[in-house]
Amino acid sequence: MRSSDSVVTIDNGNWGATSLSAVRAVLESTASVPCDAFGRAPDAPVQVSPWDQEPMVAWDLRPYRVWISARDTYWCQYAYQFSHELCHILVNFDQVRRHRHKWFEESICELSALFALHGLSREFQRRPPSEVLGAREFAPHFATYAKQVERRAQPVLRADLPNWLCSNIRHLEASITDRNLNRVVAAALLDDFLADKSLWRDCGFLNRWKARTDRTFADHMDSWNDFLRGKGFVPRTPRLVKTLLFGTGKGDRVLASDG
């Protein structure tokens, strides 16, 4: 799916020791991976610009505006940064700007970055962009970079995830962009999403309800589930998240309370 090609535009700024056409080719290839998985492109063009600060996407602008700090031919950084910000767009980030469960959106966007890197390893192998010198030979580096990012996360066994969440939920709610914690959630979900990319469809409906009224994270997952059912879908991803992160016993009790 290359519907992303027509919506990604690249500013002619300081991208370093590379060409604008190469940057465009990498970002268009990057966008094609999550857009294919979500089953749609963004609802408005996405304009990407270089800058020297942390990557971000602007609130309430159409066309969307994304800034990334990757430069030169560090293609893995381009893909990692852009796919994270693009995911915010695909999960309707500015429809509900602030609520205590935004950490989950950040974790999903970190998951998108890992997912896109793995996808680009295949994409550059199958359809190497002609604008990128040595694209096919570079392809394995995307997956290698994804694994390096995964290893930055605290190792948590799947069976221990409910206790991990109970220990960290208050901090997550207070500091939604703690990347070390976001990556734990992303790494826990990655294998399932790589095995079944249709799980992304449910993510495309995040932020479509009044999430500020969800008192607990359990409530947030239930609201997501109910919203999908109301749209005529059989929810799958909320159930996966609850299975991994809630478990039974102490985890459910703590997550269902409001401390």
Side-chain angles (χ1 to χ4, degrees), residues 5-254:
D5 294 6
S6 61
V7 299
V8 178
T9 61
I10 314 299
D11 275 356
N12 188 17
N14 179 19
W15 294 103
T18 187
S19 67
L20 188 65
S21 62
V23 172
R24 181 182 296 108
V26 170
L27 295 185
E28 286 179 348
S29 293
T30 299
S32 73
V33 178
C35 286
D36 175 63
F38 275 84
R40 64 179 177 87
D43 61 343
V46 181
Q47 184 176 352
V48 187
S49 305
W51 74 345
D52 295 326
Q53 301 178 50
E54 288 292 315
M56 68 165 288
V57 56
W59 299 103
D60 303 326
L61 288 183
R62 303 296 186 274
Y64 294 102
R65 291 297 307 275
V66 168
W67 290 270
I68 62 176
S69 61
R71 292 292 187 279
D72 303 328
T73 58
Y74 289 96
W75 303 132
C76 294
Q77 292 182 7
Y78 283 89
Y80 174 74
Q81 294 178 9
F82 180 55
S83 54
H84 180 109
E85 302 307 325
L86 179 61
C87 182
H88 280 298
I89 294 170
L90 292 170
V91 300
N92 319 296
F93 77 112
D94 58 359
Q95 289 193 25
V96 185
R97 288 182 56 162
R98 290 182 178 85
H99 57 80
R100 67 193 303 178
H101 314 296
K102 274 285 185 176
W103 66 265
F104 180 69
E105 178 186 324
E106 290 291 342
S107 301
I108 288 294
C109 291
E110 194 68 10
L111 171 62
S112 176
L114 297 174
F115 180 88
L117 286 163
H118 283 285
L120 280 171
S121 269
R122 298 186 297 272
E123 182 76 5
F124 266 48
Q125 191 68 35
R126 291 195 300 253
R127 294 187 293 187
S130 59
E131 300 89 344
V132 179
L133 185 65
R136 178 172 279 116
E137 291 73 23
F138 188 86
H141 292 285
F142 289 112
T144 299
Y145 190 85
K147 292 171 184 175
Q148 291 172 350
V149 174
E150 290 174 58
R151 284 196 290 268
R152 297 176 198 165
Q154 172 192 356
V156 179
L157 297 174
R158 287 170 76 96
D160 293 336
L161 285 166
N163 286 332
W164 172 89
L165 186 59
C166 286
S167 298
N168 289 282
I169 186 68
R170 302 295 181 246
H171 178 72
L172 283 163
E173 290 174 350
S175 181
I176 64 172
T177 57
D178 186 322
R179 287 287 172 258
N180 291 326
L181 300 186
N182 297 148
R183 286 178 186 134
V184 171
V185 177
L189 292 168
L190 181 60
D191 285 346
D192 293 281
F193 277 72
L194 288 174
D196 184 1
K197 67 180 182 181
S198 69
L199 290 167
W200 285 108
R201 182 214 64 192
D202 289 357
C203 297
F205 293 91
L206 287 168
N207 294 308
R208 295 278 301 277
W209 66 91
K210 295 180 180 178
R212 293 188 189 91
T213 65
D214 294 334
R215 189 170 59 90
T216 68
F217 184 56
D219 293 337
H220 192 52
M221 292 296 96
D222 289 342
S223 293
W224 186 15
N225 185 85
D226 293 345
F227 187 87
L228 288 165
R229 289 193 181 280
K231 292 296 182 181
F233 295 106
V234 176
R236 298 171 59 237
T237 312
R239 183 172 65 248
L240 169 64
V241 173
K242 291 183 75 170
T243 299
L244 284 175
L245 298 185
F246 288 4
T248 58
K250 179 180 176 183
D252 280 341
R253 290 198 296 274
V254 172

